[in-house]
Amino acid sequence: MNAPHPLALYIHWPFCVSKCPYCDFNSHVRESVDQARWRDALLADLRHEAAVLPGRRLGSIFFGGGTPSLMPPGTVAALLEAAEAAWGFTADIEITLEANPSSVEAARFADIAAAGVNRVSLGLQALDDAALAFLGRAHDVREGLGALDIAQREFARVSFDLIYARPDQSLADWEAELARALSFGTEHLSLYQLTIEPGTRFATLAAKGELTIPDGDAAAELFETTQAMTRAGGLPRYEVSNHARAAAESRHNLTYWRYRDYAGIGPGAHGRRGGYATVRHKKPENWLGAIDRNMHGMQSEDALDPADRASEVLVMGLRMREGITVDPARVDLAAVDRLVGHGLLVRDGDHIATTEAGILLLDSILPAIAKS
């Protein structure tokens, strides 16, 4: 029997250092945190997942959430030690920490690296001060690039993200910004088009006519330019919005997109393992209360219906350039062939993938090929 794929572990640190205009963790800003209690609670949540998933090895760990780069390095080290003791690590384990590019957080990078983190993902978001102000970011370009410089000295692997298709951003503006981003030589870039999500500040501004983002044709041109420039720069797209040098893809995110098992601990963390979907209590106080009662922070643990699993596999798999092998019982191969004829998909037997044209229409492709 083949050994199971390495397990991934997501660790959610919920606390933010300041209110954020585009996330839902504003209620999680705290003046102070009982660090010892939080360390012990996260360790208890980790031990629960280890008991449910014995005999596995960890291939990736991801510290995400509010501002995980302000988690005490001692807590990071304790969690990594407990995770290795519980599961064991693969020889090439990827341990990523999300970080805001502030000078305060960058000052902690050396200690975080010493604790065992070997990859950092920086939320630069723009290389333009006016854009950063519009996006509600506390850092400016100078501070962000200072954090990037420190990250590249302290960590073996570095990624950062940018948001494009911003209001009044021309194609020439984005070409210059992306060329600058590529010049820094990181192994990975996450490049997201700005979208207007219901209930956000951006949605309110758009409803008032005070915010307009590029329309479909302009957004498609921006996307196509992004693909051409990243390919030429040696960081081709491997997922809708993610670009990497050869063998530098985010192994943790590939676990999600390839629909493999991952455990999630900490407030609001989700998991998918052994055919079950897990959700932790989102509010920190509720999560801590569950830890006190049950020695884990689980809110729900539900068996995934086979049809739901098949749908999730399709949604996640077609985001990747490599595509996915599908179950003919769940996918309309005749519909796939019609889209192949339109240049939107490619097919080899039961393996399908989106083309460069198809990736722009993924939201329409998915319902067209999925059997009800």
Side-chain angles (χ1 to χ4, degrees):
M1 180 181 293
N2 293 330
H5 292 292
L7 180 70
L9 174 65
Y10 176 75
I11 301 173
H12 189 107
W13 180 256
F15 301 115
C16 295
V17 293
S18 61
K19 290 189 181 294
C20 170
Y22 56 88
C23 80
D24 59 358
F25 289 101
N26 290 346
S27 64
H28 298 172
V29 177
R30 296 289 190 278
E31 293 297 325
S32 63
V33 175
D34 184 340
Q35 299 291 357
R37 186 183 183 195
W38 272 88
R39 181 191 64 239
D40 292 346
L42 285 166
L43 289 169
D45 219 10
L46 185 153
R47 286 191 292 268
H48 174 81
E49 288 298 301
V52 174
L53 291 162
R56 303 292 295 270
R57 291 174 68 78
L58 283 175
S60 70
I61 300 174
F62 194 99
F63 291 87
T67 311
S69 47
L70 292 182
M71 181 184 291
T75 298
V76 173
L79 286 164
L80 295 181
E81 181 180 358
E84 185 171 22
W87 284 294
F89 290 170
T90 60
D92 61 348
I93 188 170
E94 172 190 276
I95 304 174
T96 302
L97 182 131
E98 279 187 330
N100 292 320
S102 73
S103 55
V104 172
E105 291 173 63
R108 305 164 68 93
F109 286 173
D111 289 338
I112 290 170
V117 172
N118 57 24
R119 182 177 183 272
V120 70
S121 178
L122 279 180
L124 287 186
Q125 299 204 333
L127 299 176
D128 177 89
D129 283 335
L132 287 170
F134 164 75
L135 293 168
R137 305 308 295 163
H139 69 277
D140 59 16
V141 174
R142 180 195 58 80
E143 186 176 30
L145 294 183
L148 176 61
D149 181 62
I150 294 171
Q152 289 181 292
R153 293 201 306 267
E154 297 295 344
F155 296 98
R157 304 178 61 198
V158 176
S159 175
F160 66 89
D161 68 68
L162 295 176
I163 295 174
Y164 67 104
R166 305 186 302 257
D168 302 319
Q169 184 182 40
S170 69
L171 179 61
D173 290 338
W174 174 234
E175 287 175 333
E177 189 169 354
L178 181 54
R180 190 181 184 193
L182 289 165
S183 75
F184 299 130
T186 61
E187 65 170 20
H188 190 286
L189 289 175
S190 296
L191 306 171
Y192 303 104
Q193 287 203 7
L194 181 65
T195 56
I196 306 300
E197 299 293 340
T200 64
R201 176 174 65 92
F202 295 152
T204 301
L205 293 173
K208 294 178 179 178
E210 298 175 7
L211 185 157
T212 303
I213 60 175
D215 62 19
D217 289 341
E221 186 177 21
L222 286 164
F223 182 85
E224 290 162 1
T225 297
T226 300
Q227 307 319 306
M229 290 183 65
T230 52
R231 280 196 303 269
L235 280 79
R237 175 180 66 82
Y238 69 99
E239 189 268 347
V240 173
S241 301
N242 287 276
H243 306 254
R245 300 194 187 284
E249 298 88 353
S250 167
R251 294 175 215 154
H252 189 84
N253 286 337
L254 282 174
T255 296
Y256 299 156
W257 297 322
R258 289 172 174 164
Y259 209 69
R260 294 175 180 168
D261 282 351
Y262 66 96
I265 66 170
H270 289 238
R272 290 285 189 279
R273 44 35 168 203
Y276 284 81
T278 66
V279 180
R280 257 58 184 179
H281 288 279
K282 185 174 183 180
K283 188 176 180 181
E285 287 74 16
N286 292 347
W287 177 81
L288 282 173
I291 295 286
D292 291 340
R293 292 189 305 274
N294 308 316
M295 296 304 293
H296 62 73
M298 196 85 69
Q299 180 179 28
S300 64
E301 183 174 11
D302 299 314
L304 287 162
D305 179 87
D308 290 338
R309 293 183 68 183
S311 177
E312 288 187 346
V313 167
L314 190 64
V315 168
M316 303 301 273
L318 285 182
R319 296 179 63 88
M320 297 183 294
R321 177 183 289 278
E322 68 186 33
I324 189 170
T325 298
V326 298
D327 178 357
R330 302 287 184 183
V331 174
D332 185 342
L333 293 180
V336 169
D337 288 339
R338 288 194 293 272
L339 295 176
V340 169
H342 290 297
L344 302 179
L345 293 174
V346 292
R347 177 188 171 200
D348 181 6
D350 293 338
H351 188 273
I352 63 174
T354 50
T355 63
E356 289 300 305
I359 201 69
L360 293 169
L361 299 172
L362 190 55
D363 288 345
S364 299
I365 289 172
L366 291 167
I369 65 174
K371 288 184 178 179
S372 57

